[in-house]
Amino acid sequence: MGVLVVGSVALDSVRTPFGAVHDALGGSGTFFSVAASYFTDVALVAVVGDDFPKAGIDLLESRGVDMTGLTVEKGETFRWSGVYGYDLNDRDTIETRLNVFEGFKPQVPKGLLGSEFVFLANIIPALQSSVLDQVASPKLVACDTMNYYIEGYRDDLLDTIRRVDVMVLNDSECRELASEPNLIKASRAVLDMGPSTAIVKKGEHGALMFTRDSIFSAPAYPCESVFDPTGAGDSFAGGFMGHLAATGDTSEANIRRAVIYGTVMASFCVEKFSVEGMASLETADIERRFRMLKQVSHFEP
Ligand code: AMP
């Protein structure tokens, strides 16, 4: 069935207690696409500058990502830099430079206007909405965002959120978006903004999924080597949407399974810098972790 994604394609500079990288391949659209490519066909709508390295394109191509919606503009690629301390759930953004994204007008290629599964990865909310304006009648739309847009683009963001089925946020973003410190109340407030499902990621503490009348709690995969959490949220979304698009099933039971596939892809992402941890997986690696998560959360009533 395939999934269409709009999001950032970036060059990231990241420092963790275990090492540093400069101008590494990153961006919400990139992590999402690589993760989702293990489940279904992925088409990426984004922009890069004319400084974007060929190695980045090669990697996305090697995962079979459809890049007919990727524009190359004169100018600099989106840049992001961040620093992590030993608590890898907490990071400081040092710099965000939108660069070529500032004047970008996303154009969904003609052949993709009928896309049924659409993911609005973290990017300027008006760009997320403009992709939705173009797609005819999607079966399921999910959306991510971050503090940068919650604080600086709130009205546009609320317009986007009103139009989506599933909102995927981390815990601090959820609290900030809802202006509510209690995560349960904050998630309900997010549902009141329009989506029928809210998924709240809590880093190494797993994820919660809320609908109007249910709560599902997923553990994090017990990773022994966490190296760089950058992109974990986008990789989660890639596994999540990838599974939904591959199966075409949007029942709550299947959305719960998708949360577990999201958790699995995030666990591969955090083990290395950039997309390296997800660059060459086998389906069996993914399924092994899926089964492990079933085991670690099973108990007899
Ligand atoms: P995550 O760790 O899941 O929040 O994703 C981090 C990725 O998102 C990095 O690769 C960044 O390039 C990208 N990113 C960071 N800030 C922004 C932003 N304001 N807009 C779009 N993408 C961003």
Side-chain angles (χ1 to χ4, degrees):
M1 217 163 264
V3 59
L4 175 72
V5 55
V6 60
S8 59
V9 174
L11 295 175
D12 288 347
S13 296
V14 179
R15 191 151 39 84
T16 80
F18 318 110
V21 282
H22 178 71
D23 276 356
L25 178 62
S28 57
T30 306
F31 283 104
F32 177 92
S33 297
V34 174
S37 71
Y38 286 94
F39 299 82
T40 192
D41 294 336
V42 184
L44 172 64
V45 174
V47 62
V48 292
D50 51 12
D51 59 348
F52 192 68
K54 182 170 174 301
I57 303 282
D58 290 348
L59 191 130
L60 288 163
E61 260 170 7
S62 76
R63 292 301 318 146
V65 176
D66 176 341
M67 288 184 290
T68 46
L70 182 75
T71 311
V72 182
E73 293 280 0
K74 204 168 154 37
E76 277 190 80
T77 297
F78 179 97
R79 294 287 202 290
W80 176 79
S81 59
V83 176
Y84 297 82
Y86 275 100
D87 179 356
L88 292 166
N89 283 330
D90 196 26
R91 79 172 168 217
D92 287 326
T93 289
I94 305 299
E95 197 178 29
T96 302
R97 281 192 279 141
L98 295 172
N99 294 336
V100 287
F101 267 102
E102 269 179 297
F104 180 50
K105 303 235 176 322
Q107 200 67 52
V108 178
K110 260 211 181 89
L112 298 167
L113 292 173
S115 296
E116 295 200 322
F117 289 83
V118 179
F119 188 66
L120 311 174
N122 183 32
I123 194 58
I124 304 168
L127 300 188
Q128 295 177 314
S129 283
S130 110
V131 164
L132 280 192
D133 292 341
Q134 297 171 60
V135 178
S137 54
K139 182 167 175 176
L140 186 136
V141 178
C143 177
D144 186 12
T145 191
M146 74 186 303
N147 51 355
Y148 186 80
Y149 302 114
I150 296 171
E151 289 154 23
Y153 298 73
R154 190 175 174 87
D155 289 346
D156 284 353
L157 178 61
L158 291 177
D159 284 344
T160 304
I161 294 177
R162 209 167 289 133
R163 305 171 66 186
V164 314
D165 303 297
V166 181
M167 195 66 205
V168 187
L169 294 160
N170 70 29
D171 46 357
S172 65
E173 291 158 356
C174 183
R175 292 187 172 98
E176 187 173 7
L177 177 62
S179 310
E180 164 60 57
N182 179 283
L183 207 49
I184 313 297
K185 287 187 189 161
S187 306
R188 299 226 181 283
V190 170
L191 294 179
D192 289 341
M193 293 173 192
S196 52
T197 304
I199 295 174
V200 181
K201 299 158 293 167
K202 299 181 295 157
E204 65 182 325
H205 307 299
L208 292 170
M209 173 178 129
F210 296 85
T211 68
R212 253 163 244 296
D213 38 39
S214 68
I215 302 181
F216 170 60
S217 173
Y221 183 83
C223 281
E224 287 192 28
S225 67
V226 180
F227 195 73
D228 172 17
T230 305
D234 314 307
S235 307
F236 175 99
F240 174 79
M241 287 298 279
H243 174 72
L244 291 180
T247 53
D249 173 358
T250 56
S251 65
E252 185 176 331
N254 202 44
I255 295 181
R256 290 183 180 214
R257 277 191 287 275
V259 168
I260 303 298
Y261 278 111
T263 301
V264 168
M265 295 316 291
S267 76
F268 287 116
C269 170
V270 301
E271 289 178 341
K272 302 222 171 110
F273 272 127
S274 183
V275 292
E276 279 170 41
M278 295 189 297
S280 52
L281 297 171
E282 303 288 338
T283 307
D285 302 325
I286 296 171
E287 293 302 328
R288 200 172 306 115
R289 289 197 178 186
F290 184 89
R291 285 194 302 275
M292 167 77 171
L293 279 167
K294 184 164 191 304
Q295 247 174 44
V296 299
S297 55
H298 179 83
F299 62 92
E300 297 295 335

